[in-house]
PDB file of all heavy atoms in Angstrom:
ATOM      1  N   ASN A 128       8.400   9.486 -10.901  1.00 98.00           N
ATOM      2  CA  ASN A 128       9.820   9.659 -11.214  1.00 98.00           C
ATOM      3  C   ASN A 128      10.593   8.358 -11.372  1.00 98.00           C
ATOM      4  O   ASN A 128      11.652   8.345 -12.009  1.00 98.00           O
ATOM      5  CB  ASN A 128      10.483  10.506 -10.119  1.00 98.00           C
ATOM      6  CG  ASN A 128      10.003  11.942 -10.167  1.00 98.00           C
ATOM      7  OD1 ASN A 128      10.046  12.573 -11.213  1.00 98.00           O
ATOM      8  ND2 ASN A 128       9.535  12.453  -9.038  1.00 98.00           N
ATOM      9  N   MET A 169      12.246  10.531  -5.810  1.00 98.00           N
ATOM     10  CA  MET A 169      12.991  10.613  -7.075  1.00 98.00           C
ATOM     11  C   MET A 169      13.416   9.259  -7.620  1.00 98.00           C
ATOM     12  O   MET A 169      13.451   9.044  -8.820  1.00 98.00           O
ATOM     13  CB  MET A 169      14.223  11.504  -6.903  1.00 98.00           C
ATOM     14  CG  MET A 169      13.910  12.916  -6.425  1.00 98.00           C
ATOM     15  SD  MET A 169      12.662  13.765  -7.434  1.00 98.00           S
ATOM     16  CE  MET A 169      13.571  13.995  -8.959  1.00 98.00           C
ATOM     17  N   SER A 170      13.794   8.327  -6.707  1.00 98.00           N
ATOM     18  CA  SER A 170      14.265   7.002  -7.134  1.00 98.00           C
ATOM     19  C   SER A 170      13.776   5.949  -6.156  1.00 98.00           C
ATOM     20  O   SER A 170      13.673   6.209  -4.948  1.00 98.00           O
ATOM     21  CB  SER A 170      15.798   6.943  -7.179  1.00 98.00           C
ATOM     22  OG  SER A 170      16.320   7.853  -8.128  1.00 98.00           O
ATOM     23  N   ALA A 184      14.653   7.336  -2.469  1.00 98.00           N
ATOM     24  CA  ALA A 184      15.426   8.584  -2.401  1.00 98.00           C
ATOM     25  C   ALA A 184      14.500   9.768  -2.637  1.00 98.00           C
ATOM     26  O   ALA A 184      13.702   9.764  -3.575  1.00 98.00           O
ATOM     27  CB  ALA A 184      16.530   8.567  -3.453  1.00 98.00           C
ATOM     28  N   GLU A 185      14.618  10.759  -1.749  1.00 98.00           N
ATOM     29  CA  GLU A 185      13.767  11.954  -1.837  1.00 98.00           C
ATOM     30  C   GLU A 185      14.567  13.162  -2.320  1.00 98.00           C
ATOM     31  O   GLU A 185      15.768  13.270  -2.084  1.00 98.00           O
ATOM     32  CB  GLU A 185      13.151  12.266  -0.473  1.00 98.00           C
ATOM     33  CG  GLU A 185      12.238  11.176   0.054  1.00 98.00           C
ATOM     34  CD  GLU A 185      11.492  11.630   1.301  1.00 98.00           C
ATOM     35  OE1 GLU A 185      11.207  12.847   1.428  1.00 98.00           O
ATOM     36  OE2 GLU A 185      11.192  10.772   2.150  1.00 98.00           O
ATOM     37  N   LYS A 186      13.856  14.077  -2.943  1.00 98.00           N
ATOM     38  CA  LYS A 186      14.475  15.284  -3.507  1.00 98.00           C
ATOM     39  C   LYS A 186      15.142  16.145  -2.439  1.00 98.00           C
ATOM     40  O   LYS A 186      16.116  16.854  -2.706  1.00 98.00           O
ATOM     41  CB  LYS A 186      13.405  16.098  -4.247  1.00 98.00           C
ATOM     42  CG  LYS A 186      13.957  17.094  -5.248  1.00 98.00           C
ATOM     43  CD  LYS A 186      12.841  17.679  -6.103  1.00 98.00           C
ATOM     44  CE  LYS A 186      13.401  18.505  -7.248  1.00 98.00           C
ATOM     45  NZ  LYS A 186      12.314  18.941  -8.158  1.00 98.00           N
ATOM     46  N   PRO A 210      19.152  19.908  -4.948  1.00 96.00           N
ATOM     47  CA  PRO A 210      18.186  18.814  -4.877  1.00 96.00           C
ATOM     48  C   PRO A 210      18.819  17.481  -5.269  1.00 96.00           C
ATOM     49  O   PRO A 210      19.639  17.427  -6.186  1.00 96.00           O
ATOM     50  CB  PRO A 210      17.142  19.229  -5.915  1.00 96.00           C
ATOM     51  CG  PRO A 210      17.928  20.006  -6.937  1.00 96.00           C
ATOM     52  CD  PRO A 210      18.992  20.732  -6.168  1.00 96.00           C
ATOM     53  N   LEU A 211      18.428  16.423  -4.560  1.00 97.00           N
ATOM     54  CA  LEU A 211      18.837  15.075  -4.959  1.00 97.00           C
ATOM     55  C   LEU A 211      17.934  14.666  -6.123  1.00 97.00           C
ATOM     56  O   LEU A 211      16.711  14.681  -6.001  1.00 97.00           O
ATOM     57  CB  LEU A 211      18.687  14.108  -3.780  1.00 97.00           C
ATOM     58  CG  LEU A 211      19.242  12.699  -3.998  1.00 97.00           C
ATOM     59  CD1 LEU A 211      19.689  12.088  -2.674  1.00 97.00           C
ATOM     60  CD2 LEU A 211      18.246  11.765  -4.663  1.00 97.00           C
ATOM     61  N   MET A 212      18.528  14.309  -7.257  1.00 97.00           N
ATOM     62  CA  MET A 212      17.738  14.026  -8.463  1.00 97.00           C
ATOM     63  C   MET A 212      17.644  12.545  -8.809  1.00 97.00           C
ATOM     64  O   MET A 212      16.727  12.121  -9.505  1.00 97.00           O
ATOM     65  CB  MET A 212      18.320  14.793  -9.665  1.00 97.00           C
ATOM     66  CG  MET A 212      18.293  16.299  -9.498  1.00 97.00           C
ATOM     67  SD  MET A 212      16.684  16.963  -9.006  1.00 97.00           S
ATOM     68  CE  MET A 212      15.725  16.655 -10.482  1.00 97.00           C
ATOM     69  N   SER A 213      18.631  11.758  -8.343  1.00 98.00           N
ATOM     70  CA  SER A 213      18.650  10.343  -8.725  1.00 98.00           C
ATOM     71  C   SER A 213      19.551   9.591  -7.768  1.00 98.00           C
ATOM     72  O   SER A 213      20.599  10.103  -7.374  1.00 98.00           O
ATOM     73  CB  SER A 213      19.175  10.215 -10.167  1.00 98.00           C
ATOM     74  OG  SER A 213      19.372   8.874 -10.543  1.00 98.00           O
ATOM     75  N   ALA A 214      19.134   8.379  -7.363  1.00 98.00           N
ATOM     76  CA  ALA A 214      19.968   7.536  -6.501  1.00 98.00           C
ATOM     77  C   ALA A 214      19.833   6.095  -6.964  1.00 98.00           C
ATOM     78  O   ALA A 214      18.843   5.718  -7.588  1.00 98.00           O
ATOM     79  CB  ALA A 214      19.558   7.670  -5.041  1.00 98.00           C
ATOM     80  N   ALA A 226      24.404   8.539  -5.684  1.00 98.00           N
ATOM     81  CA  ALA A 226      23.369   9.508  -6.065  1.00 98.00           C
ATOM     82  C   ALA A 226      24.015  10.701  -6.750  1.00 98.00           C
ATOM     83  O   ALA A 226      25.235  10.885  -6.694  1.00 98.00           O
ATOM     84  CB  ALA A 226      22.599   9.988  -4.830  1.00 98.00           C
ATOM     85  N   VAL A 227      23.178  11.483  -7.412  1.00 97.00           N
ATOM     86  CA  VAL A 227      23.589  12.817  -7.851  1.00 97.00           C
ATOM     87  C   VAL A 227      22.654  13.841  -7.202  1.00 97.00           C
ATOM     88  O   VAL A 227      21.445  13.637  -7.110  1.00 97.00           O
ATOM     89  CB  VAL A 227      23.577  12.985  -9.393  1.00 97.00           C
ATOM     90  CG1 VAL A 227      24.753  12.268 -10.021  1.00 97.00           C
ATOM     91  CG2 VAL A 227      22.266  12.543 -10.016  1.00 97.00           C
ATOM     92  N   ALA A 228      23.290  14.927  -6.700  1.00 96.00           N
ATOM     93  CA  ALA A 228      22.537  16.017  -6.076  1.00 96.00           C
ATOM     94  C   ALA A 228      23.275  17.309  -6.377  1.00 96.00           C
ATOM     95  O   ALA A 228      24.508  17.344  -6.300  1.00 96.00           O
ATOM     96  CB  ALA A 228      22.434  15.800  -4.565  1.00 96.00           C
ATOM     97  N   GLY A 229      22.526  18.346  -6.717  1.00 94.00           N
ATOM     98  CA  GLY A 229      23.175  19.583  -7.146  1.00 94.00           C
ATOM     99  C   GLY A 229      24.057  19.292  -8.354  1.00 94.00           C
ATOM    100  O   GLY A 229      23.603  18.702  -9.334  1.00 94.00           O
ATOM    101  N   ARG A 253      24.064  21.023 -13.471  1.00 87.00           N
ATOM    102  CA  ARG A 253      23.291  20.206 -12.544  1.00 87.00           C
ATOM    103  C   ARG A 253      23.215  18.763 -13.032  1.00 87.00           C
ATOM    104  O   ARG A 253      22.955  18.498 -14.192  1.00 87.00           O
ATOM    105  CB  ARG A 253      21.889  20.754 -12.308  1.00 87.00           C
ATOM    106  CG  ARG A 253      21.478  20.567 -10.845  1.00 87.00           C
ATOM    107  CD  ARG A 253      20.276  21.381 -10.507  1.00 87.00           C
ATOM    108  NE  ARG A 253      19.070  20.598 -10.762  1.00 87.00           N
ATOM    109  CZ  ARG A 253      17.886  21.118 -10.930  1.00 87.00           C
ATOM    110  NH1 ARG A 253      17.736  22.422 -10.922  1.00 87.00           N
ATOM    111  NH2 ARG A 253      16.840  20.360 -11.128  1.00 87.00           N
ATOM    112  N   ALA A 254      23.458  17.863 -12.122  1.00 90.00           N
ATOM    113  CA  ALA A 254      23.443  16.442 -12.462  1.00 90.00           C
ATOM    114  C   ALA A 254      22.010  15.928 -12.511  1.00 90.00           C
ATOM    115  O   ALA A 254      21.132  16.442 -11.825  1.00 90.00           O
ATOM    116  CB  ALA A 254      24.258  15.666 -11.437  1.00 90.00           C
ATOM    117  N   CYS A 255      21.791  14.899 -13.326  1.00 92.00           N
ATOM    118  CA  CYS A 255      20.427  14.426 -13.582  1.00 92.00           C
ATOM    119  C   CYS A 255      20.225  12.969 -13.161  1.00 92.00           C
ATOM    120  O   CYS A 255      19.310  12.665 -12.410  1.00 92.00           O
ATOM    121  CB  CYS A 255      20.133  14.600 -15.071  1.00 92.00           C
ATOM    122  SG  CYS A 255      18.507  14.064 -15.584  1.00 92.00           S
ATOM    123  N   LEU A 256      21.069  12.056 -13.645  1.00 95.00           N
ATOM    124  CA  LEU A 256      20.876  10.624 -13.384  1.00 95.00           C
ATOM    125  C   LEU A 256      22.160   9.973 -12.882  1.00 95.00           C
ATOM    126  O   LEU A 256      23.261  10.363 -13.268  1.00 95.00           O
ATOM    127  CB  LEU A 256      20.433   9.897 -14.670  1.00 95.00           C
ATOM    128  CG  LEU A 256      19.056  10.246 -15.231  1.00 95.00           C
ATOM    129  CD1 LEU A 256      18.868   9.596 -16.588  1.00 95.00           C
ATOM    130  CD2 LEU A 256      17.949   9.820 -14.264  1.00 95.00           C
ATOM    131  N   PHE A 257      22.001   8.961 -12.020  1.00 97.00           N
ATOM    132  CA  PHE A 257      23.115   8.148 -11.510  1.00 97.00           C
ATOM    133  C   PHE A 257      22.746   6.685 -11.685  1.00 97.00           C
ATOM    134  O   PHE A 257      21.655   6.264 -11.293  1.00 97.00           O
ATOM    135  CB  PHE A 257      23.333   8.432 -10.018  1.00 97.00           C
ATOM    136  CG  PHE A 257      24.503   7.663  -9.419  1.00 97.00           C
ATOM    137  CD1 PHE A 257      25.677   8.310  -9.100  1.00 97.00           C
ATOM    138  CD2 PHE A 257      24.418   6.287  -9.170  1.00 97.00           C
ATOM    139  CE1 PHE A 257      26.760   7.612  -8.545  1.00 97.00           C
ATOM    140  CE2 PHE A 257      25.487   5.583  -8.629  1.00 97.00           C
ATOM    141  CZ  PHE A 257      26.661   6.247  -8.314  1.00 97.00           C
ATOM    142  N   TYR A 272      21.879  17.638 -16.786  1.00 80.00           N
ATOM    143  CA  TYR A 272      20.570  18.016 -17.297  1.00 80.00           C
ATOM    144  C   TYR A 272      20.643  18.341 -18.774  1.00 80.00           C
ATOM    145  O   TYR A 272      21.610  18.942 -19.218  1.00 80.00           O
ATOM    146  CB  TYR A 272      20.002  19.212 -16.519  1.00 80.00           C
ATOM    147  CG  TYR A 272      18.929  18.710 -15.627  1.00 80.00           C
ATOM    148  CD1 TYR A 272      19.252  18.089 -14.437  1.00 80.00           C
ATOM    149  CD2 TYR A 272      17.602  18.725 -16.032  1.00 80.00           C
ATOM    150  CE1 TYR A 272      18.274  17.534 -13.640  1.00 80.00           C
ATOM    151  CE2 TYR A 272      16.627  18.170 -15.244  1.00 80.00           C
ATOM    152  CZ  TYR A 272      16.968  17.581 -14.055  1.00 80.00           C
ATOM    153  OH  TYR A 272      15.996  17.006 -13.290  1.00 80.00           O
TER     154      TYR A 272
END
Side-chain angles (χ1 to χ4, degrees):
N128 291 308
M169 303 307 291
S170 297
E185 298 189 31
K186 199 170 189 174
L211 187 151
M212 298 309 292
S213 173
V227 286
R253 218 166 90 200
C255 180
L256 293 172
F257 182 107
Y272 254 79

